Amino acid sequence: MKLLLFSKILFVLFLVQSVYAQNPLFIPPSLTGTVFNLDIQTGTQNFYPGNPTPTYGINGPFLSPTIIVNKGDIVTLNVNNGLTVATTMHWHGLHVSPSNDGGPHQSIAANSIWSPSFEILNNAGTFWYHPHGEGKTELHVGKGLAGMFIVHDLIEQSLGLPQTYGIDDIPLITQSKAFDVLQQIAIADHMDTSILVNGTIDAFYDAPAQVIRFRLLNGSSMRSFNYGFSNGMTFYQIATDGGLVETPNPLTRLLLAPGERSEILVDLTSLDGQSFQLMSFGSEITNGIFGAPAVGIVPDVIDMYDDNPLNGGDYELLAINVVAPTTSPVTTIPSSLIPYTPYLPINADVNRSLILDTIRILPIDVPNLAAGPFGINGVSFDMMVNNIYVPLNSTEIWTLHNKTHIAHPFHIHDVQFNIIEKNGLPPVLSEQGWKDVVLVMPHDSVKFITKFTDFEDNMVPYMYHCHLLHHEDDGMMGSFIVSSSVGIDEISLSGNDDLQVSPNPSSNNWDVKSTSIYGEYTVILTSLIGDKVFESKEKSIDIETHFSIPTNELTEGIYILKIQTENQEFQTKLMKTN
Ligand code: C2O
Ligand code: CU
Ligand code: CU
């Protein structure tokens, strides 16, 4: 233990030393306009002396250009797959139709072009794009396919924020990677000891002495970063995943899990000539999060976790040297940004619970509560199965229950959501805003609310999944179909619509009839915010199942009835009157 600690200290010293052997931060070239040609290609990079590293990139050998668009633009993205294998390209965080979303169902064959075209509906914010092939996300992202996708809008442009890309508006794609002895990028390897910012190892950045906007993206496969500065300086969070917040939020630390983004402002006006570092303070990360001092409880631990000095270590991400300001610098931090009007739980139509837990693919498998394999609601991702049906325009509360020893960053496509609570408490200020990824701590639960608007498709699903890429590839992912042919008053989540409840509304009891329920089933009644008010286990051996639910104990209002059979779930909204 002592020895290990000693080696961690040595490593940290080594990192501090490396301040003197640095490379200028690469700023990915930007693409603007409405037609974007994205050529996926193989390449090589000389990250370390010796063997060149084979990589993937877009319009270059490694990483991808930054796409910059305006809200309301109609864009076409010509994604040309020059690899010898199929891949996909997903616009993470953007509100687009299922067939434009670039999930595993929109495979782009080798040497072919996929050209989705859509309107930018999102507000100003920092999004990103990356491959999403079935079981291949970690490999393709790890080899270099990841880029930033910036959306501007008129309100944001009127706020006086730094917005000159590469000058005072700086993308910071932070990633940890593992390299093997031949300097090849190693996938699913927990010795990810190299830090790359915009693909640059040991990066430094000469920042003008003014207000700078950093767009932080944690593009790592597994690792969370606890951002902060070596000089202890306060920075101001101005955006969460989905865009601007109400008021700049002063912070000295900001934790981002894989997939999460945030925009921050730093005021360098009085720091001309000084040098300091953007750090990840891993020693302060709560245990259970990949990157913290410890994950798991013996015997459910991650192999070699303690051997990686970044786990629980404080280390440099980017060296910053403050230089002379530009000619028309931004010098103040605005006092307010945009109004925040989250969805209200009172308006929710549907409640769903998602259980994040280990799964057994074979009965002899011994699931590891820290290392997996993991599934959602007891199943592993299956391209041929749709897991959830969402009625178009449904406002929904999703409750995520983490039954494992490791924190999972849960991500959902199509929508931005508002976190209602984490383990029963309202979210901290830095998580109040529009989100598409939320970190669910071990043995904890998270409730979020969102609304599924604009896009429906009876055939093509959207995805929800853990954004630890290794977990995602292993099957910790599910799909949902948004469709207006699923009604809220009588929905069957499994495609059967013979569930009948009468009377509805009712003042004394509900009579339920169905021909799709057979064998053991559970009847659950919850309030709109998910509090359980009734539960009973039943068994049916008749062709038609018939039972009734007493309502005399219930207060007036709307309830969600859920009927779970071994392999189906039915759900409907009921109303109790006096
Ligand atoms: Cu960033 Cu489904 O992905
Ligand atoms: Cu996504
Ligand atoms: Cu996970």
Side-chain angles (χ1 to χ4, degrees):
M1 192 62 217
K2 268 248 164 66
L3 247 180
L4 192 73
L5 191 69
F6 183 66
S7 69
K8 277 191 188 179
I9 290 167
L10 266 185
F11 190 87
V12 171
L13 282 178
F14 170 74
L15 285 173
V16 172
Q17 288 266 311
S18 69
V19 167
Y20 303 103
Q22 289 193 346
N23 308 306
L25 175 72
F26 175 68
I27 303 289
S30 61
L31 297 176
T32 56
T34 54
V35 177
F36 299 91
N37 295 320
L38 304 173
D39 293 324
I40 307 177
Q41 51 198 254
T42 57
T44 57
Q45 287 284 91
N46 293 308
F47 291 112
Y48 292 105
N51 294 314
T53 303
T55 52
Y56 289 169
I58 290 182
N59 302 357
F62 191 67
L63 282 185
S64 313
T66 298
I67 294 172
I68 304 180
V69 299
N70 296 307
K71 182 178 180 177
D73 285 354
I74 299 186
V75 301
T76 302
L77 299 127
N78 299 310
V79 186
N80 184 354
N81 180 9
L83 305 178
T84 55
V85 293
T87 189
T88 78
M89 199 54 67
H90 166 58
W91 324 106
H92 178 132
L94 292 188
H95 181 45
V96 298
S97 71
S99 56
N100 284 331
D101 191 48
H105 297 79
Q106 285 91 50
S107 188
I108 315 168
N111 293 308
S112 63
I113 301 183
W114 177 62
S115 298
S117 185
F118 49 82
E119 181 179 350
I120 302 294
L121 297 173
N122 291 69
N123 290 333
T126 301
F127 306 93
W128 66 304
Y129 63 109
H130 63 78
H132 217 299
E134 190 194 5
K136 292 279 184 285
T137 301
E138 186 174 19
L139 176 65
H140 292 185
V141 174
K143 291 200 92 173
L145 296 176
M148 220 173 244
F149 201 122
I150 295 175
V151 176
H152 288 299
D153 67 26
L154 293 173
I155 302 175
E156 172 232 13
Q157 287 179 320
S158 71
L159 294 171
L161 296 168
Q163 53 188 337
T164 312
Y165 180 79
I167 303 295
D168 59 6
D169 183 350
I170 308 296
L172 295 180
I173 305 173
T174 324
Q175 297 176 303
S176 62
K177 289 191 194 294
F179 287 88
D180 67 17
V181 286
L182 298 171
Q183 280 88 44
Q184 314 289 294
I185 294 169
I187 301 301
D189 186 323
H190 292 153
M191 289 307 283
D192 55 329
T193 54
S194 298
I195 295 295
L196 291 84
V197 183
N198 300 345
T200 317
I201 287 188
D202 284 341
F204 77 84
Y205 169 59
D206 289 339
Q210 61 203 60
V211 174
I212 302 288
R213 178 188 201 167
F214 287 122
R215 296 178 186 262
L216 305 176
L217 158 63
N218 182 345
S220 284
S221 299
M222 296 291 282
R223 180 166 305 282
S224 284
F225 296 111
N226 188 23
Y227 296 89
F229 291 95
S230 58
N231 60 2
M233 154 176 106
T234 297
F235 53 91
Y236 298 84
Q237 182 193 26
I238 58 164
T240 51
D241 298 331
L244 296 173
V245 295
E246 210 159 33
T247 328
N249 176 21
L251 296 170
T252 54
R253 295 286 186 271
L254 177 62
L255 182 83
L256 295 183
E260 285 188 296
R261 291 89 63 210
S262 192
E263 295 175 26
I264 61 169
L265 297 181
V266 290
D267 183 357
L268 307 180
T269 47
S270 63
L271 300 183
D272 198 353
Q274 297 193 25
S275 291
F276 56 95
Q277 290 106 41
L278 174 66
M279 305 277 295
S280 176
F281 292 94
S283 65
E284 299 167 14
I285 297 179
T286 310
N287 284 342
I289 299 172
F290 194 102
V295 171
I297 301 167
V298 178
D300 293 290
V301 292
I302 296 171
D303 249 10
M304 317 248 298
Y305 187 82
D306 290 337
D307 295 342
N308 187 329
L310 298 190
N311 294 332
D314 297 342
Y315 49 90
E316 178 189 324
L317 300 171
L318 176 70
I320 296 171
N321 310 309
V322 185
V323 299
T326 60
T327 45
S328 46
V330 173
T331 54
T332 52
I333 309 253
S335 55
S336 74
L337 299 163
I338 60 161
Y340 175 53
T341 39
Y343 297 118
L344 297 175
I346 188 84
N347 295 329
D349 303 303
V350 176
N351 274 265
R352 298 180 200 277
S353 284
L354 280 78
I355 312 284
L356 316 181
D357 204 352
T358 53
I359 39 159
R360 288 164 203 260
I361 314 242
L362 297 172
I364 52 151
D365 287 344
V366 185
N368 176 315
L369 284 162
F374 301 108
I376 301 177
N377 284 352
V379 291
S380 192
F381 177 65
D382 183 337
M383 285 286 279
M384 303 310 288
V385 171
N386 181 59
N387 302 100
I388 291 177
Y389 285 87
V390 172
L392 180 67
N393 292 322
S394 165
T395 300
E396 307 208 344
I397 295 174
W398 287 30
T399 307
L400 313 169
H401 301 274
N402 183 354
K403 305 282 187 196
T404 76
H405 290 347
I406 182 169
H408 302 281
F410 181 91
H411 169 54
I412 181 169
H413 292 205
D414 180 26
V415 293
Q416 294 290 327
F417 57 76
N418 311 115
I419 301 172
I420 301 173
E421 56 183 52
K422 278 193 153 185
N423 222 18
L425 297 170
V428 294
L429 197 53
S430 59
E431 292 192 307
Q432 292 176 24
W434 297 100
K435 296 283 294 165
D436 57 54
V437 179
V438 59
L439 191 62
V440 192
M441 293 298 290
H443 308 285
D444 200 348
S445 69
V446 166
K447 260 187 214 304
F448 68 75
I449 183 167
T450 189
K451 186 170 183 181
F452 298 86
T453 58
D454 304 311
F455 301 111
E456 62 173 316
D457 193 313
N458 287 318
M459 299 303 293
V460 185
Y462 292 109
M463 300 294 117
Y464 54 84
H465 57 91
C466 176
H467 222 290
L468 301 185
L469 302 185
H470 185 52
H471 293 182
E472 173 188 338
D473 284 341
D474 260 10
M476 196 175 192
M477 176 154 74
S479 56
F480 64 100
I481 278 190
V482 180
S483 166
S484 55
S485 57
V486 188
I488 289 182
D489 287 323
E490 277 196 10
I491 52 172
S492 146
L493 296 182
S494 307
N496 297 296
D497 44 18
D498 75 331
L499 183 69
Q500 286 174 22
V501 185
S502 63
N504 183 26
S506 163
S507 56
N508 62 50
N509 64 328
W510 288 304
D511 272 300
V512 184
K513 274 187 202 156
S514 170
T515 53
S516 303
I517 299 170
Y518 192 78
E520 289 180 354
Y521 64 96
T522 309
V523 180
I524 298 167
L525 200 61
T526 68
S527 69
L528 274 182
I529 55 158
D531 295 326
K532 204 179 275 180
V533 294
F534 175 84
E535 174 166 17
S536 89
K537 290 211 188 304
E538 310 284 340
K539 190 169 183 163
S540 166
I541 48 164
D542 289 318
I543 300 237
E544 177 166 281
T545 302
H546 185 192
F547 59 91
S548 71
I549 304 168
T551 60
N552 41 347
E553 302 276 315
L554 301 176
T555 53
E556 237 185 314
I558 294 171
Y559 293 87
I560 308 288
L561 169 67
K562 260 188 221 171
I563 301 166
Q564 292 164 340
T565 69
E566 202 187 298
N567 42 31
Q568 301 180 89
E569 182 174 275
F570 305 90
Q571 185 164 325
T572 189
K573 199 165 131 186
L574 302 177
M575 191 163 173
K576 153 80 195 228
T577 51
N578 276 333

